[in-house]
């Protein structure tokens, strides 16, 4: 099983719109972190789609090791 690349060791704080669907990068290769740009092609990774429940700021995982993907759960504190 492939290991995702760590895009950053801090979450990305992004404003998302209620009802809108987003595609979170699971591989860590995207140049549009934390969102997918298709860089996973040729790997075993697939982006995770999710719909924002409310319009507000969200903390999205960039270390790719969260147990609550796509949301940050603090696991980046235990890396490196």
């Amino acid at each position: 099983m492939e290991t995702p690349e760590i895009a950053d060791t801090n979450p990305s704080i992004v404003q998302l719109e209620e009802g809108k669907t987003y595609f979170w990068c699971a591989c860590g290769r995207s140049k549009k972190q934390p969102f997918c740009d298709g860089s996973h092609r040729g790997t075993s990774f697939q982006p995770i789609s999710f719909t924002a429940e409310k319009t507000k700021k969200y903390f999205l995982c960039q270390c790719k090791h969260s147990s609550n993907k796509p949301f940050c759960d603090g696991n980046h504190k235990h890396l490196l």
Side-chain angles (χ1 to χ4, degrees):
M1 182 172 179
E2 292 181 81
T3 302
E5 292 182 19
I6 297 171
D8 198 339
T9 55
N10 291 302
S12 178
I13 304 167
V14 293
Q15 180 78 21
L16 303 180
E17 296 178 38
E18 179 178 353
K20 187 172 178 182
T21 299
Y22 297 89
F23 293 88
W24 176 79
C25 170
C27 70
R29 296 178 177 197
S30 175
K31 302 291 186 241
K32 295 183 178 182
Q33 290 295 331
F35 302 108
C36 178
D37 70 358
S39 294
H40 63 276
R41 287 185 189 99
T43 72
S44 62
F45 294 99
Q46 292 295 316
I48 294 176
S49 67
F50 69 101
T51 303
E53 293 180 6
K54 294 182 179 182
T55 297
K56 67 174 195 167
K57 289 183 182 177
Y58 289 84
F59 292 80
L60 298 183
C61 175
Q62 293 196 101
C63 77
K64 312 305 175 186
H65 289 81
S66 174
S67 297
N68 189 30
K69 296 172 183 149
F71 307 105
C72 176
D73 68 356
N75 271 339
H76 60 271
K77 296 175 187 174
H78 306 289
L79 298 174
L80 305 176

